[in-house]
Amino acid sequence: EVRLEESGGGSVQVGGSLRLSCKGSGFTFASTTMTWVRQVAGKGLERVSSIKPDSNLIYYKDSVKGRFTTSRDNTKNTLYLQMNRLKTEDTAVYYCATSWLPVRDDGQWYTTSDTHWGQGTQVTVSP
C-alpha cells in the first residue's frame, strides 16, 4: 500500500520559514517523481513544485520561485519543501503526491493508478 505522510506544517508570521517533509512507503520512492501540491481553503488544488527521481529537473510555480526549495533524500524515502520568506497567500494545506502532474487544470486530483497523495499538513502565515 502506498503511503505518504507529510509533516512540518505550522503557524508562522510573514517573512518566516518552514520546512515540510514527506515520508513515502509502499512504493519505489527513488524512482518516483514527486510533487508538492497546496490547497487554499475554498479553492482548488494547485501544483507548487515537482522533482524528478534523480533531482535533475525541478519545477516551481512562479509565485514561489526564489523562496521555496524542493529536495529529496532517496536513502530516506523523504521529500522536502523548504519555504522561506513566507507570505500570507502561502497559507494552505500542503500535500505531497506522486507523479509530475498529479493535479488537473480544474484543481482536482488525477485519479489514476499512478497518482497518490497524503493527508496534508496545514501551513498558516499571519501578518
Side-chain angles (χ1 to χ4, degrees):
E1 178 189 4
V2 173
R3 291 196 64 182
L4 295 166
E5 185 172 359
E6 302 92 342
S7 62
S11 297
V12 296
Q13 291 188 314
V14 168
S17 298
L18 283 173
R19 189 194 195 202
L20 306 184
S21 299
C22 168
K23 176 78 171 178
S25 61
F27 64 105
T28 308
F29 183 89
S31 61
T32 301
T33 295
M34 299 296 296
T35 291
W36 286 104
V37 173
R38 69 186 181 188
Q39 185 169 32
V40 175
K43 297 190 177 181
L45 299 162
E46 60 178 6
R47 181 186 179 212
V48 175
S49 179
S50 300
I51 184 168
K52 290 289 189 178
D54 56 3
S55 303
N56 66 336
L57 183 62
I58 303 175
Y59 160 86
Y60 293 104
K61 179 182 174 64
D62 283 346
S63 63
V64 307
K65 284 180 181 176
R67 301 189 298 120
F68 290 11
T69 302
T70 293
S71 62
R72 62 192 296 162
D73 185 339
N74 289 339
T75 66
K76 297 180 179 179
N77 287 2
T78 303
L79 173 73
Y80 303 100
L81 182 66
Q82 178 67 45
M83 304 185 294
N84 298 328
R85 291 185 282 131
L86 282 161
K87 304 177 181 180
T88 54
E89 52 263 44
D90 295 319
T91 294
V93 176
Y94 285 72
Y95 301 90
C96 64
T98 57
S99 88
W100 183 254
L101 283 172
V103 179
R104 302 191 320 227
D105 289 343
D106 64 359
Q108 301 296 314
W109 293 109
Y110 272 114
T111 53
T112 70
S113 59
D114 294 332
T115 305
H116 306 274
W117 55 91
Q119 294 299 307
T121 186
Q122 175 71 46
V123 171
T124 302
V125 185
S126 57

